[in-house]
Amino acid sequence: MVPEQKLIRFSSRFKLVSVAIVVALTIWLLLAVAHVLTPFVAAIITAYLFNPLVTWLQRRTRLGRALWIAVIYVLAFLTLYGLGTWTGPLIAQQSRDLAAAAPEVASRIQSFFRGREQVELGGIGFDLAPLEAQLIATVSDLGARLSQSVPQLVFSALETVIYLLVYLIITFYLLLQAGQLKQWATRLIPSPYRAEIGALGAQIDGVFSAYIRGQLLLIVIMSVLLYIPLSILRVPSALVIAVASGTLEILPIIGPWTAAGIAMVAALFQQNVPFGLSSVGLAALLGIIYFVLRQIEDHFIIPNVMGSLVRLHPAVVIFSILAGGALLGAFGLFIAIPVAAVIRILLGFVYRKLTDRPELPPPLPPAPVPATA
């Protein structure tokens, strides 16, 4: 007599414990190998950004994905090579000039504050000695970092090449198999819940895609817009400061103020001030320019580039930035806002489930206007 065949069934408690163990081991493994995750994270972000473009080109031309990925690789290489050939030497030279000028700028800061350590405004005394010390420390640290960057790049060249190759290979396969990966992830979801979870995933995808693409475009726009006045006003290392200012835009609230401070300090101790301005006048003018461009960015560029998908209260934004920076450093500052927006979406979803509230219905189309005789 053939014994009855039975399937192994896990109890609900065993399933929960198994999932908890797998999640805990995964987190432990990622923390243990965090130093080698950079090319993989970069590849995931790149593939996520370029997958819509590759998919659109494939559908429009009926050509294979591998061909279009290769074309994008070639175009990206030519673009980066052209930009590097054009701006690379200029940025390197201005960085060296900035590093060489750091001791002189520190000396000028000391001369500027000499005899002005104590000031009174409205009968209230202010001690500027801590500000002087902080400025000198910042300038000295910047000079040291810039001067050490070239030897560090030489010693880490092999590691950089390996990471670059890993990044390119992983990006290629992620772009090539994006459809299969999406189908695999969809099959992991039980079929009765795929539509609902798919809609939730579409909201999260909309937040991430709008934010990441918008931030990358914002860096380019703000770098160009800031380089124009900085070069006209002959601010030393204008290109380096403009690129740094544009890059700092990815750090909400903190970044723009830091960028303005860097430019104003550079102008405050500039030797040759154009257009008959004083150093203080030039620094104030740059402060106004940064403020005006910030208003243009907030009211025109960001709404058109990123839309209104990331809707968070200012207090939540500030808390998210501080928490992201404390947990993950600069990368945490970059992803703090989109992660907070995703958490808001997930919490809203969980809240509706806990309170048995129905999903919000889609807006109705506008009623047709009756024809007039």
Side-chain angles (χ1 to χ4, degrees):
M1 183 177 179
V2 179
E4 181 183 359
Q5 299 294 323
K6 292 185 178 181
L7 298 176
I8 298 175
R9 300 289 184 182
F10 290 163
S11 65
S12 299
R13 178 178 297 180
F14 187 86
K15 292 177 182 178
L16 182 61
V17 172
S18 300
V19 171
I21 292 175
V22 170
V23 171
L25 290 176
T26 302
I27 294 175
W28 173 81
L29 177 62
L30 292 177
L31 292 176
V33 300
H35 59 287
V36 299
L37 291 180
T38 302
F40 295 92
V41 174
I44 292 172
I45 295 174
T46 304
Y48 178 75
L49 292 175
F50 283 93
N51 179 57
L53 175 61
V54 174
T55 302
W56 182 81
L57 290 172
Q58 180 190 19
R59 290 175 179 173
R60 294 285 294 182
T61 61
R62 303 295 182 181
L63 298 176
R65 293 180 67 88
L67 175 62
W68 283 117
I69 297 171
V71 170
I72 290 175
Y73 269 42
V74 172
L75 292 177
F77 172 78
L78 294 176
T79 301
L80 293 176
Y81 177 78
L83 290 175
T85 304
W86 176 48
T87 63
L90 183 59
I91 292 177
Q93 182 61 45
Q94 291 189 1
S95 299
R96 287 192 292 268
D97 294 342
L98 199 58
E104 183 180 354
V105 173
S107 176
R108 290 184 183 180
I109 292 175
Q110 288 179 324
S111 300
F112 177 80
F113 280 98
R114 189 173 295 117
R116 304 175 182 173
E117 287 81 3
Q118 299 289 335
V119 297
E120 287 191 5
L121 294 176
I124 302 176
F126 294 92
D127 184 11
L128 299 183
L131 176 61
E132 176 188 3
Q134 184 62 44
L135 286 175
I136 293 174
T138 301
V139 171
S140 302
D141 182 65
L142 177 62
R145 288 180 182 274
L146 289 173
S147 61
Q148 294 172 1
S149 61
V150 174
Q152 287 176 351
L153 287 175
V154 172
F155 287 119
S156 62
L158 180 60
E159 181 183 11
T160 302
V161 170
I162 294 174
Y163 279 15
L164 179 61
L165 290 175
V166 172
Y167 162 75
L168 293 175
I169 293 172
I170 298 300
T171 302
F172 180 85
Y173 278 106
L174 288 177
L175 285 172
L176 185 65
Q177 301 177 346
Q180 294 92 312
L181 291 174
K182 186 176 181 179
Q183 293 176 2
W184 170 79
T186 302
R187 286 195 297 268
L188 293 178
I189 305 172
S191 55
Y193 310 110
R194 285 177 186 172
E196 187 175 25
I197 295 180
L200 184 65
Q203 296 181 53
I204 296 174
D205 175 69
V207 168
F208 268 114
S209 61
Y211 189 82
I212 295 177
R213 293 189 182 96
Q215 286 287 13
L216 295 177
L217 185 58
L218 193 63
I219 292 174
V220 177
I221 293 175
M222 295 306 295
S223 297
V224 173
L225 290 179
L226 289 169
Y227 177 69
I228 295 173
L230 288 172
S231 60
I232 292 176
L233 296 173
R234 303 172 194 169
V235 177
S237 306
L239 183 58
V240 173
I241 294 176
V243 173
S245 299
T247 304
L248 285 170
E249 290 292 331
I250 67 177
L251 307 180
I253 300 176
I254 302 172
W257 291 105
T258 305
I262 293 173
M264 293 174 68
V265 169
L268 194 61
F269 302 98
Q270 182 174 334
Q271 287 185 341
N272 301 318
V273 181
F275 307 117
L277 296 170
S278 65
S279 296
V280 176
L282 179 59
L285 178 59
L286 282 177
I288 294 172
I289 291 173
Y290 270 75
F291 177 77
V292 171
L293 288 178
R294 178 65 186 176
Q295 299 306 309
I296 295 174
E297 174 190 356
D298 287 341
H299 294 91
F300 297 99
I301 298 177
I302 291 180
N304 288 285
V305 170
M306 286 188 279
S308 58
L309 289 174
V310 183
R311 298 183 296 271
L312 295 172
H313 191 276
V316 176
V317 171
I318 295 173
F319 174 79
S320 302
I321 294 169
L322 294 177
L327 292 174
L328 298 174
F331 183 70
L333 292 174
F334 174 66
I335 66 171
I337 290 182
V339 168
V342 169
I343 292 175
R344 177 184 61 82
I345 293 174
L346 294 176
L347 289 178
F349 177 80
V350 173
Y351 174 76
R352 288 191 296 271
K353 295 302 176 183
L354 291 175
T355 57
D356 294 324
R357 292 190 178 185
E359 293 292 324
L360 297 177
L364 296 175
V369 178
T372 57

